Amino acid sequence: MEQSLLEGGKNIKVNENSMPKEVLASDTDLLKAKWQRQIGNAKILWGRLTEIELQDSEGRADKLAGLVQERYALSRMEAEKQVDAFLRKVS
């Protein structure tokens, strides 16, 4: 299974089959911890999103853009643009 995770403000593709499980687990945990520190900043920017929704997004740009698109009635392109700008700023 392939995942897109936040690393330094960029989404990286992670293929579970191509990495040792211990490396994948530690990298995933690190990326999730970084995202946990950014949730407050995301909440300030997108106050209509709940903390639980932000936690569940795990810093994944696709999930976050979907939430922003839905809550703020934006086009997908505009939501992705906002999310990309946010992720670049907080990295």
Side-chain angles (χ1 to χ4, degrees):
M1 185 168 119
E2 193 171 275
Q3 287 185 330
S4 177
L5 299 171
L6 173 69
E7 180 178 293
K10 297 179 183 173
N11 283 315
I12 57 167
K13 299 290 182 191
V14 178
N15 185 330
E16 293 177 358
N17 298 323
S18 65
M19 299 181 75
K21 288 185 183 199
E22 61 277 358
V23 171
L24 181 61
S26 64
D27 288 347
T28 301
D29 291 343
L30 179 62
L31 295 172
K32 286 180 183 178
K34 286 180 180 180
W35 174 242
Q36 288 298 316
R37 292 190 298 268
Q38 298 305 329
I39 287 176
N41 292 327
K43 185 75 174 130
I44 290 168
L45 184 58
W46 299 297
R48 294 180 189 169
L49 301 181
T50 68
E51 190 166 332
I52 291 171
E53 289 172 322
L54 291 167
Q55 288 172 349
D56 289 347
S57 76
E58 298 176 334
R60 292 180 55 186
D62 58 331
K63 285 187 175 184
L64 192 52
L67 290 169
V68 171
Q69 177 185 15
E70 181 182 308
R71 285 296 184 285
Y72 290 90
L74 300 174
S75 69
R76 183 64 181 202
M77 184 180 292
E78 179 59 30
E80 288 174 351
K81 192 170 154 182
Q82 287 187 19
V83 168
D84 289 343
F86 171 77
L87 295 175
R88 278 194 309 274
K89 183 178 178 182
V90 298
S91 64

